[in-house]
Amino acid sequence: MIHTSIEICAGAGGQALGLEMAGFDHQVLVEYEKDYCDCLKVNRPQWNVKCMDVRQFDGHPYRGRIDLLAGGVPCPPFSIAGKQLGADDERDLFPQMLRLVEEIDPKVVMIENVRGFLGKQFDNYRKSIIKHLNHLGYNVHLQLLNASDYGVPQLRPRAIIIGVRTDIYDLFSFPNPQPELTKDVGNTLFDLMSANGWRGAEQWRYIANKIAPTLVGGSKKHGGPDLGPTRARQAWAEMGIDGRGVANEAPGADFDGMPRLTPRMLARLQGFPDDWSFGLRKTTACRMIGNAFPPPVAKEIGKKIKEVLEYASIDSRSETQIPRRAVG
């Protein structure tokens, strides 16, 4: 069964792709930046992409028609790499997500953000968001998930909020972690790293037998592509990878030293399929990849949401429906 969805702050499509694989039919994807919009349109021409400020997006026409409203609202307000201004940050789009929940009244809400959102300094703000969702008639689930538990070879913790409408039987549970199914960096990237005949590829695969640190995307304001701050680069170096920059292609046959990763390698570490295009500009591609939500994680969450929706579909034909909590 196909279920309808709307996604805001869609980025380069990581979450949207994962939800599509779980069986969701995107009615609209809202994204502000042109590079990201172009990426979405190139990879999925059939998707209805609205390249606009989400503040201007009206949810009323979709009221009663949407099963899932999803979005990875911008993380800078809560990121440890930023100033952690939270609700005082102009980039905080949680209020827009809550506005759209009220306008659209979806059956399920999914919100993704960085681990910093769970920090003690944001306790009151986080509680206010949950209270607002409760007031709108949603039961709320909140959990920290790590991408490496769901097939993505990367330590990428993300806070996930799921809201299930109170007139639906709430059987939602987060997907069970299966870290044993996740390959290490060396085995994940070996074919790409050896594509140009590098003689040291096999030895490198042996060294790169770990899970990668979190990929970073950065912003348009800060420099070119690299693999993060000093501590992250040290972790990459332990796997025989030069994290000071990003390469255009895999190392040649006689390459000596630590190779750099290419955008395609980064995309695979993020869980994107190899045919997902990020354009030809390396800096822009790396920013889109590093800021994305891993598709395999979104897929696993989407499958659990789909279980709720399909049970609700069966339940709607019975006499066991739960009255909707009054919103006043």
Side-chain angles (χ1 to χ4, degrees):
M1 179 183 296
I2 300 294
H3 296 284
T4 58
S5 60
I6 287 178
E7 182 167 336
I8 67 168
C9 308
Q15 183 171 271
L17 175 59
L19 292 174
E20 179 188 71
M21 291 188 291
F24 284 88
D25 180 19
H26 302 305
Q27 304 300 294
V28 183
L29 292 96
V30 182
E31 171 52 47
Y32 179 68
E33 292 198 41
K34 184 180 183 301
D35 289 329
Y36 289 79
C37 294
D38 292 344
C39 176
L40 294 170
K41 292 174 182 178
V42 165
N43 288 286
R44 286 293 185 272
Q46 71 273 25
W47 282 356
N48 179 22
V49 178
K50 292 188 179 296
C51 199
M52 63 186 296
D53 189 330
V54 70
R55 297 175 180 88
Q56 307 302 319
F57 179 65
D58 182 10
H60 288 102
Y62 304 94
R63 187 173 184 83
R65 298 168 44 196
I66 301 300
D67 293 314
L68 172 65
L69 173 62
V73 296
C75 65
F78 310 101
S79 173
I80 59 173
K83 297 180 180 179
Q84 293 192 311
L85 298 176
D88 295 326
D89 195 310
E90 63 181 9
R91 296 165 294 182
D92 175 26
L93 293 180
F94 268 104
Q96 297 304 315
M97 171 60 89
L98 295 172
R99 171 183 65 83
L100 290 171
V101 171
E102 185 168 9
E103 291 177 1
I104 296 170
D105 195 33
K107 294 176 181 175
V108 180
V109 179
M110 174 182 171
I111 308 173
E112 174 262 333
N113 213 291
V114 293
R115 175 168 53 183
F117 174 71
L118 301 178
K120 187 173 180 58
Q121 64 270 45
F122 301 123
D123 280 354
N124 290 336
Y125 187 53
R126 189 170 59 251
K127 290 175 183 177
S128 72
I129 292 170
I130 293 173
K131 184 177 180 180
H132 197 146
L133 286 169
N134 290 155
H135 177 73
L136 292 174
Y138 290 83
N139 294 319
V140 177
H141 305 259
L142 172 61
Q143 189 163 313
L144 186 71
L145 300 186
N146 202 320
S148 63
D149 288 334
Y150 305 99
V152 180
Q154 183 187 164
L155 296 173
R156 194 176 189 86
R158 283 299 183 269
I160 308 296
I161 298 173
I162 301 293
V164 179
R165 223 167 59 189
T166 54
D167 62 336
I168 296 172
Y169 186 77
D170 186 4
L171 52 74
F172 179 81
S173 63
F174 285 99
N176 293 325
Q178 294 183 291
E180 68 278 3
L181 301 181
T182 302
K183 295 193 295 185
D184 59 39
V185 170
N187 283 301
T188 299
L189 299 182
F190 176 72
D191 63 318
L192 296 178
M193 194 62 80
S194 60
N196 290 332
W198 182 33
R199 295 188 180 90
E202 188 63 54
Q203 182 180 0
W204 171 82
R205 174 162 63 172
Y206 177 78
I207 296 172
N209 62 344
K210 300 179 180 66
I211 299 298
T214 301
L215 295 179
V216 296
S219 70
K220 291 187 288 187
K221 299 179 181 179
H222 299 105
D226 59 41
L227 300 186
T230 302
R231 182 178 298 180
R233 293 181 193 178
Q234 290 173 347
W236 288 108
E238 291 174 4
M239 290 184 284
I241 294 169
D242 180 356
R244 294 173 297 175
V246 175
N248 292 316
E249 60 182 9
D254 297 325
F255 176 81
D256 184 28
M258 292 196 301
R260 295 182 176 184
L261 302 181
T262 65
R264 177 52 52 203
M265 294 175 189
L266 294 174
R268 190 182 284 184
L269 290 179
Q270 195 70 289
F272 280 96
D274 288 345
D275 61 356
W276 197 264
S277 173
F278 296 92
L280 299 177
R281 291 179 295 165
K282 184 168 65 175
T283 298
T284 301
C286 291
R287 187 166 65 89
M288 289 193 285
I289 295 164
N291 287 330
F293 187 54
V297 183
K299 177 183 177 182
E300 293 306 309
I301 299 170
K303 286 161 60 177
K304 301 297 284 187
I305 294 172
K306 190 176 178 183
E307 289 178 7
V308 174
L309 294 170
E310 294 192 345
Y311 185 87
S313 178
I314 295 172
D315 194 46
S316 68
R317 296 192 292 269
S318 72
E319 297 180 356
T320 60
Q321 283 185 286
I322 305 169
R324 185 74 185 275
R325 176 180 299 171
V327 177

